[in-house]
Amino acid sequence: MHLRLVAYTPLGAQIGVLPDSLNYTATIPFGADLPTLKVGYTKAGRRSDVLEALPEIAVERWDAAAGTWVEPDDARFLVVKRAWNSKDDGGQARSYDAIHLGWLARKARVWTGGNMNSEGKRQFNAANPGTIVGTIFDDARGRGWGPGLARSFNATTDSAGQPWAHEVTLAFEPSADLDSVLKAVVDQGLAELSWTGRTLNLYNPDTALARDLTTGTAPVWVRHTDGVTSAPEEGSIEDLVTFARLTGDAGGVWDVSNPAAVQTYGRLEGYVTQSGVTDEGTAALLIEQELAAGASERTQYTREWHAAAATVVPWQHYRPGDWAFFDREDNGTLIRDRARVAQVSVTYDAEGVSGHTTLGTRLDDLLARLARRTANVTGGASSGGAGGTPSPPTPDGPDSRAPAAVDGLVVSTTAYADTDGQPRARVALDWADVTTDAEGVLLGVRGYEVWQRGPDGTWTLAATVTDSQHAVSPLPTNTAHTFRVRAVSDNYVTGPWSTERTITTARYLAPPPRPSAPGVTVRLGVVTVAWDGRTSTGATMPATLAHVRVLVDGVIRDRLDGPDARAVITGLTYNMAASITLVAVDRAGNVSTASAAVAATPRPLVNGDLGAGSVTVLTLATNSVTADAIAGGAIDGIVITGTTVRTAASGQRVELDARGLSAYPSSGAARTTISAATGRLTAVDADINGTVTAGNASGNRVRLGEDLSYGGGVLDFLRSNGSLMGQLSSWEPGGVRLAGANRTIMAVDEGNGGTAIWLDLTTPGYGMNLISEDGLMVGISGGAAVLDAPLFRFQGGALDITREVVNARPSGGMTFNPGGQFLLTPSVHALIYAGGVFQVRTGGANSNSIDADGNGNVYFRRHSTNSGSANVQMGAGGQIFRITSRRDSKLLIEPIPTERLMRLLDVPMVSWFDRVAAETLAAELAGEDDVPENQTPMLRIPGLVAEDVEATGLTEFVIYDQDGDTQGLAYDRIGVALIPLVRDLYARVASLEERNA
């Protein structure tokens, strides 16, 4: 048996095989419980980065008969959990826990639809499992859930194409999820399910998923002698029931006896309470499951096996739900029996493929599970919120009476932190139900409108609800808001407003947790403070944390913005313990209690620290310097006496004797000497580091040394007083520099493979002419007249172009013309005008151009237009980007909750005059000079204010500069963000139209 793991992008394309798994175990139960997968992998394994991204994984087996890899049913998983050792060098196993793809059904709700009953539940009358599950599945898909998921059944037939065998009447709370619905129809015996990849299959019970493999000439038989390594068994009669009662809604009671049950113990009673059951047929189906579960002893058989020694293995020969033969013990005798495969667990590790198979009835308490699953489906149904019983229409037409005014409106507020850690406020409203009109006559009320008015003074509809209570959030903290409510009759007639209630939203006052103790190190008299980012109990700090303060003896000395930060504390008194504590500060300014204190005692390196005169006889330990530590002589005061001091007796060495200082190689005569008699230095093939001076020490001289300004070496020419007359130096990356006393005169640089000459002629009265064979080309003057009329003339720091060169520009080159114009190509001109105006144009005065004026404004004139989408953006630093929306340019793509996008509806639409346009117009009217041209016209501009959007918390639609200051709005993103809201609104309208058709 050969297995492999294949990774996919979640609900997306295949990535490839995960080839380096250390081990993995897939557990596949039969029924509605979700399969699981646990994988062991190393960081050094190929495609380990794929696992780190929490992919979708399929388990595949090799089908030798077909010659291909196949994926068994219920073998597609989503990685939802991972664990690792942060000190792992790449060789340790990392664990990844995955749950079956069906886990997504827990994220799809029953929601609301066109079949709501008077209690607010979603009612299915005489409906089969395909209608119930298919309706909820498709509605969720329509809301954007489960892209890529599909179903293989419909309202008429199951996934095998067979007509549905059962119909029931059930009601579900909108809060119930699809997974609860699937568990209900399976546990109640209405259907059986499996998944093929991403496709949900639903079958009539005991049909396609209940294959009988005990018939025919080659039945499937799990034998003790066929690779089975262990065979544990367990039985229980705790669930025996001989008589059962079921109670439903509206006083319905059904009693049924269980003649098939073991009667040894007399009457054994069971009791089932099922909300939402009102008809006998549904009750009969539910109680049938209860009686079947309690008819006899339930036994579980487990067979552990190893694939290398087994000829019958799961997925290849049988699967969960199948009926197969197996060996079991009966009063000490091994017999062959028939059982249903309840669960398969398959493991791959270094020993190969092994696992265990569970057969027979599982020991789970079916009665408790049935009651629990049913409770999940109905969501603990309770009535209320819709008001009184509707009155019938009057003979003259629909009832036009208005409901009575809402009475007893009360509001309260609490503060909380959102998922980003920002402080927010919530206002809860409660009021009395309205059940009559103003005259006290009974009137049907379908719901209530809740309106609010914020600091801007505008009334807005906060919600339309069916219950007599509502909560509004998120709201800014510590701000005043006013609320009012009115009732709406069944015929959509609105009643009078309630009394207005104004409340100031709560401030967020919950202090952050006490931080853990600081990590403190002391080195060379400096204290370094660190923090692990956790609370005093070892938990992770909440998202509300802003920073932690560092206190020394109760005084704030620094702050840490996270666990990676460090605070360095200096100036503490030596040899005196300082108490270091931390205090957490949240985004609302609340502070925690101080952490546990850690003592830090800075010490000097030596007594008094190391400095001039700090090491004396008194600071040396007695006998720390002894005579036997010195060979070849003695220390006599501060003079070392002796005839010769040398580093070695022979070979490579340095000797100091009466002749002077000599350095010897490993063999032969001295290569470098300093004569004691003359002071002359003699060196053979020697490298001299430092400065060398030649000439009379008190006269004019030459000094050779290192050039710290330009790099490389330098030759200085010095006067007798030491002042610099001139200099010749290297000029990195490869040139030579000639300088006078104060500045560079000429430099030649042939770095990067070319040659450049820099000539400095700034002394008054001096100049230079550059002459070619055609005459003077460039004239440079420091004040004196240039000898001839060159093409370029540099005089007094200015560049003049005095004459035009004819036919001197090759195609695509550049030519300077009189008047300040230079040609970039034969058809592109660039002009510089007075006042700093620069223009690039493609032809004459009225051709396409780009202008930049002295005020920093850039103009695009007469340029081509295009009707495509904008795809250029200026970044916060002034860069210009081409915008792309390709998937491969985006990471961690995930949907934005519709509830979050609803905040866009709270942003007011406004209009304004452009400030720059207004100030420009004011300057023109005032007759000011230098008024920029081509400014924005004075028109009122509609749109949004960036600060208003930011106030809702939707900072992803706000554009900030490099300093984090608000600059603008991503209007293109805001429009796209309205699509989910329109989609939801469209679905609601369609539902209303369908219900009212």
Side-chain angles (χ1 to χ4, degrees), residues 308-322:
T311 59
V312 175
V313 292
W315 286 344
Q316 182 175 347
H317 300 97
Y318 61 88
R319 68 190 183 198
D322 288 341

Side-chain angles (χ1 to χ4, degrees), residues 466-502:
T466 59
D467 205 353
S468 56
Q469 60 184 8
H470 183 62
V472 180
S473 68
L475 295 171
T477 59
N478 198 32
T479 57
H481 291 263
T482 302
F483 297 88
R484 63 187 183 186
V485 181
R486 64 182 178 184
V488 182
S489 74
D490 284 344
N491 289 312
Y492 298 94
V493 180
T494 57
W497 290 111
S498 68
T499 301
E500 295 179 3
R501 300 294 183 187
T502 300

Side-chain angles (χ1 to χ4, degrees), residues 19-45:
D20 296 332
S21 301
L22 297 177
N23 53 72
Y24 49 87
T25 298
T27 301
I28 317 295
F30 175 69
D33 293 334
L34 294 177
T36 60
L37 173 69
K38 191 175 184 66
V39 179
Y41 218 90
T42 66
K43 185 179 180 181

Side-chain angles (χ1 to χ4, degrees), residues 703-708 711-716 727-730 737:
R703 180 176 63 199
L704 178 64
E706 181 182 5
D707 187 358
L708 299 179
V714 61
L715 183 63
D716 295 330
Q727 190 180 73
L728 180 64
S729 67
S730 59
R737 171 179 167 271

Side-chain angles (χ1 to χ4, degrees), residues 154-242:
N154 55 44
T156 304
T157 60
D158 68 0
S159 295
Q162 298 301 309
W164 288 109
H166 300 292
E167 289 184 344
V168 293
T169 297
L170 289 176
F172 306 91
E173 285 284 355
S175 60
D177 58 48
L178 176 58
D179 183 61
S180 298
V181 175
L182 289 171
K183 284 181 169 64
V185 298
V186 170
D187 290 335
Q188 294 173 22
L190 305 176
E192 293 173 349
L193 71 85
S194 70
W195 289 80
T196 302
R198 296 173 181 160
T199 299
L200 172 62
N201 307 312
L202 210 59
Y203 301 92
N204 283 313
D206 298 319
T207 56
L209 294 185
R211 298 184 303 176
D212 189 354
L213 304 180
T214 62
T215 61
T217 57
V220 173
W221 188 354
V222 181
R223 302 172 183 263
H224 269 32
T225 57
D226 186 23
V228 173
T229 58
S230 183
E233 301 177 2
E234 186 174 354
S236 172
I237 62 171
E238 295 179 22
D239 298 322
L240 287 179
V241 173
T242 64

Side-chain angles (χ1 to χ4, degrees), residues 224 289 497 540 751 816 847:
H224 269 32
Q289 305 304 310
W497 290 111
T540 302
F816 286 82
S847 60

Side-chain angles (χ1 to χ4, degrees), residues 87-175:
K87 295 189 68 175
D88 176 20
D89 59 1
Q92 298 183 22
R94 298 186 169 206
S95 65
Y96 300 88
D97 291 347
I99 195 168
H100 188 264
L101 188 76
W103 169 80
L104 292 172
R106 297 177 181 175
K107 305 302 178 182
R109 300 292 171 176
V110 170
W111 221 246
T112 55
N115 50 334
M116 307 301 293
N117 64 19
S118 61
E119 293 181 343
K121 300 176 184 178
R122 198 158 187 187
Q123 187 78 33
F124 291 90
N125 296 323
N128 59 54
T131 298
I132 297 171
V133 176
T135 299
I136 298 171
F137 186 100
D138 292 348
D139 285 356
R141 283 292 311 275
R143 295 191 301 270
W145 168 85
L149 300 185
R151 60 181 177 91
S152 60
F153 57 90
N154 55 44
T156 304
T157 60
D158 68 0
S159 295
Q162 298 301 309
W164 288 109
H166 300 292
E167 289 184 344
V168 293
T169 297
L170 289 176
F172 306 91
E173 285 284 355
S175 60

